[in-house]
Amino acid sequence: MQTPKPNRPAPPRERALSAALLARMFHQPAMIYFQTVAELLSIRECARRLNIASSAVSRQIAQLEDALGMALFTREGRRLKLTAAGEILYRHVRRVASPLEAAVSELDMLRGLKTGSVRIATVESVGLSFLPSLLADFSLRYPTLHLNVEVTSSAEVVARLADESVDVGFGFLTAPSREIEMAVRRDVRVGVLMQPDHPLTRIPRLTLADCFAHPVAIGTSELSIRRAIQPILDTSASVRPPLLEVASIRMLVELAQLGRHVSIMTPIGAHTEISNGSLVFRPLEDPGLPTNRFGLMVRTGADLHFAPAVFYDQAREHFRSLELPGTVTA
């Protein structure tokens, strides 16, 4: 007995529907379902959030793809991924939905309520240092506002700000961008994180060569800190290759705390340990070693609605009051 083949949706038509029919489609539930699936990258999670059947979501997405004549998602394992067409449509759907979300927030304010959401993208090091206290303080002050925080790389923070999928970003900007405005910034020096009794603390002007006389932990190429020091690693004959490479700021901090390794990083991500004295941060003095430009970012020309605007204002004041070793206020 042959096992019946699962029913698969037919591929999208070769040509899109007429502009008039597409306009009607854009005001149907398909667009709500598409936006939610694009945000969650899961039909099952979309169905759970909207309290509808997964089959209904799949059917609406298939109809939308058929109407456009283009696939909007591909599947990678258990997760979905937006196609190039899906990325374009999602960007425009967000722009259409944003004024409506702003209107709802303003109407709630008229009723004496304060509602809305803030979409935040941040690098890991910020999530390990000052961001949790900022989030806690903000939630206490505005308990009805929803915060959504995504931890990712600096490059992805910039990309998500540029395509308007987040409102506010915290990260490192390695090159100027016309799409991104850095509202408050710190030029952060690269240095060594180590235990207070480590022999390197007794050297007046530390260099990478000094560090590599001891076991060293260093970030992988995914971290902006590695890109800052790579030119020195490539050109200095006195510096041997790293003994331990990791792709996590948290792990760099933990390794420094264990004591066998010193970690090459910025002080951001070890704020608590430096403040309580369990670890020491010392800047490196190698000639030509650049600072990392870190800060609070928004999209250039962004018209922030109520919730993102109040979070942005509080984040800016919180950020300006921070005191971190190895940083220069700009």
Side-chain angles (χ1 to χ4, degrees):
M1 178 177 180
Q2 289 185 339
T3 303
K5 294 183 179 179
N7 293 326
R8 296 182 178 179
R13 68 181 66 226
E14 294 184 0
R15 290 187 177 183
L17 295 177
S18 69
L21 289 175
L22 278 176
R24 291 178 59 188
M25 173 75 71
F26 279 14
H27 291 281
Q28 293 179 0
M31 298 309 297
I32 299 173
Y33 298 170
F34 166 75
Q35 180 180 341
T36 308
V37 173
E39 291 171 353
L40 301 175
L41 296 179
S42 168
I43 287 177
R44 180 177 297 178
E45 291 300 320
C46 170
R48 184 178 293 117
R49 174 176 292 187
L50 298 179
N51 195 28
I52 55 177
S54 295
S55 59
V57 178
S58 298
R59 184 167 58 253
Q60 292 287 345
I61 296 297
Q63 289 176 359
L64 182 58
E65 290 180 322
D66 181 62
L68 293 169
M70 302 178 78
L72 299 173
F73 296 95
T74 59
R75 180 168 292 279
E76 292 186 351
R78 295 184 178 181
R79 306 295 293 180
L80 297 176
K81 181 180 179 181
L82 284 165
T83 63
E87 293 279 2
I88 292 172
L89 182 59
Y90 178 59
R91 184 166 64 247
H92 286 280
V93 167
R94 283 297 313 158
R95 287 175 178 167
V96 171
S98 183
L100 180 58
E101 293 170 359
V104 171
S105 293
E106 291 183 24
L107 290 170
D108 283 339
M109 290 176 67
L110 187 64
R111 289 197 298 264
L113 302 174
K114 293 180 178 178
T115 63
S117 61
V118 189
R119 301 165 300 165
I120 304 160
T122 181
V123 292
E124 180 195 15
S125 56
V126 177
L128 297 172
S129 51
F130 61 82
L131 186 56
S133 61
L134 169 59
L135 296 175
D137 291 345
F138 184 83
S139 295
L140 182 63
R141 187 173 180 182
Y142 299 99
T144 59
L145 298 186
H146 176 76
L147 297 173
N148 184 285
V149 182
E150 176 182 349
V151 179
T152 186
S153 67
S154 282
E156 189 62 21
V157 170
V158 172
R160 293 184 71 75
L161 281 170
D163 69 15
E164 304 179 41
S165 56
V166 299
D167 305 302
V168 179
F170 296 92
F172 294 92
L173 194 60
T174 56
S177 171
R178 288 184 294 181
E179 296 180 302
I180 301 301
E181 176 184 331
M182 187 164 275
V184 185
R185 85 167 199 241
R186 295 284 181 90
D187 289 335
V188 189
R189 295 187 66 182
V190 178
V192 187
L193 191 68
M194 54 193 160
Q195 289 192 336
D197 59 352
H198 195 279
L200 287 176
T201 61
R202 298 191 290 270
I203 298 177
R205 293 180 59 84
L206 273 177
T207 65
L208 274 173
D210 296 324
C211 297
F212 277 88
H214 304 269
V216 170
I218 194 171
T220 59
S221 58
E222 289 82 5
L223 302 181
S224 60
I225 180 67
R226 179 58 176 271
R227 294 193 291 274
I229 66 171
Q230 191 61 48
I232 297 177
L233 295 177
D234 291 339
T235 59
S236 177
S238 62
V239 177
R240 56 194 174 99
L243 298 179
L244 180 56
E245 298 179 88
V246 298
S248 166
I249 295 295
R250 182 69 247 173
M251 190 174 294
L252 288 174
V253 175
E254 293 290 343
L255 287 167
Q257 283 192 312
L258 289 174
R260 172 165 171 75
H261 294 81
V262 297
S263 293
I264 309 298
M265 56 183 289
T266 72
I268 299 175
H271 186 209
T272 301
E273 292 77 9
I274 295 170
S275 298
N276 64 27
S278 62
L279 289 175
V280 172
F281 177 83
R282 291 277 305 280
L284 289 169
E285 305 293 344
D286 294 79
L289 184 64
T291 56
N292 268 15
R293 180 154 296 177
F294 165 82
L296 167 65
M297 298 181 284
V298 293
R299 184 173 52 84
T300 301
D303 183 16
L304 297 178
H305 303 307
F306 171 72
V310 293
F311 178 81
Y312 169 78
D313 288 340
Q314 185 165 331
R316 186 169 51 185
E317 293 307 312
H318 184 87
F319 191 22
R320 283 174 173 165
S321 66
L322 286 176
E323 294 184 6
L324 291 174
T327 64
V328 179
T329 303

